[in-house]
Amino acid sequence: MRFPNIELLSQNISIGGIQIQAICLVIPVITIISLVVLLHIVNHTKTGMAMRAVSKDYEIARVMGVDIDKIISITFIIGSSLAAIGAIMWGIRYPGITPMMGVMPGLKCFIAAVIGGIGNIKGAVLGGFILGLGEILIVAFFPQLSGYRDAFAFIVLIVILFYKPTGLLGEKTTEKV
């Protein structure tokens, strides 16, 4: 089965003698727009403030009058919307539909979040950038290792967790007793 073909996004564009598929230019733009909207919601709205409060201390947020169930629902709506945007972009770029088509992208998203620091939006973006750039550079400089492209993500994960368990931008937390 195939993802629906969108003619506008599947056509090739010539930039300086290089042929690039239009979706390869659209994906970064949609990603940046989604990131800006997410950062605005989280950092500059009352809902975002409530989301941050709930993530820090569930009970204190409830005592302060935050409707926990509503905030959790909104968080799931935002997360599901971002996942849908990502899935649509993935489906347009790689149009074959299989039952397991989201496993490796999902794992790599999780690895990117861990590399950047769980709970840190900018860190997750940094982790994704490092992961994607690293995979491309490995294949570009060592074409014989192209079969191990996915293994690179797990190697980077292990190295980061060994040296900085909270991720690159993660904060050290202390447990209060």
Side-chain angles (χ1 to χ4, degrees), residues 62-85:
R62 183 182 302 278
V63 170
M64 296 300 289
V66 175
D67 184 357
I68 303 290
D69 295 329
K70 178 182 172 187
I71 295 303
I72 290 172
S73 296
I74 290 171
T75 304
F76 270 95
I77 290 168
I78 292 171
S80 298
S81 299
L82 290 171
I85 291 169

Side-chain angles (χ1 to χ4, degrees), residues 56 166 171-177:
K56 287 285 183 194
T166 58
E171 299 172 6
K172 198 169 209 168
T173 57
T174 56
E175 186 84 20
K176 294 181 183 177
V177 180

Side-chain angles (χ1 to χ4, degrees), residues 19 32-33 35 41 56 59-60 64-65 74 77-78 88 94 105 112 118 128 134 148 150 171 177:
Q19 294 288 325
I32 290 169
I33 291 169
L35 176 64
I41 290 170
K56 287 285 183 194
E59 292 300 321
I60 297 298
M64 296 300 289
I74 290 171
I77 290 168
I78 292 171
I88 290 168
Y94 305 103
I118 293 289
Y148 298 103
D150 293 333
E171 299 172 6
V177 180

Side-chain angles (χ1 to χ4, degrees), residues 15 17 19 26 34 45 50 65 72 78 120-121 137-138 143 153 159 162 165:
I15 299 176
Q19 294 288 325
V26 171
S34 299
T45 65
I72 290 172
I78 292 171
N120 188 325
I121 297 170
L137 291 176
I138 287 287
V159 169
F162 185 74

Side-chain angles (χ1 to χ4, degrees), residues 29-132:
V29 171
I30 291 174
T31 302
I32 290 169
I33 291 169
S34 299
L35 176 64
V36 168
V37 169
L38 178 64
L39 287 173
H40 176 75
I41 290 170
V42 171
N43 295 323
H44 301 292
T45 65
K46 286 186 178 188
T47 300
M49 186 186 317
M51 289 166 67
R52 287 181 281 139
V54 169
S55 75
K56 287 285 183 194
D57 194 331
Y58 186 90
E59 292 300 321
I60 297 298
R62 183 182 302 278
V63 170
M64 296 300 289
V66 175
D67 184 357
I68 303 290
D69 295 329
K70 178 182 172 187
I71 295 303
I72 290 172
S73 296
I74 290 171
T75 304
F76 270 95
I77 290 168
I78 292 171
S80 298
S81 299
L82 290 171
I85 291 169
I88 290 168
M89 290 189 295
W90 181 268
I92 293 171
R93 179 73 177 100
Y94 305 103
I97 297 176
T98 64
M100 302 297 286
M101 69 185 277
V103 172
M104 194 52 72
L107 278 173
K108 288 185 181 179
C109 288
F110 176 71
I111 291 170
V114 171
I115 289 171
I118 293 289
N120 188 325
I121 297 170
K122 294 174 186 172
V125 172
L126 176 66
F129 185 73
I130 289 169
L131 199 58

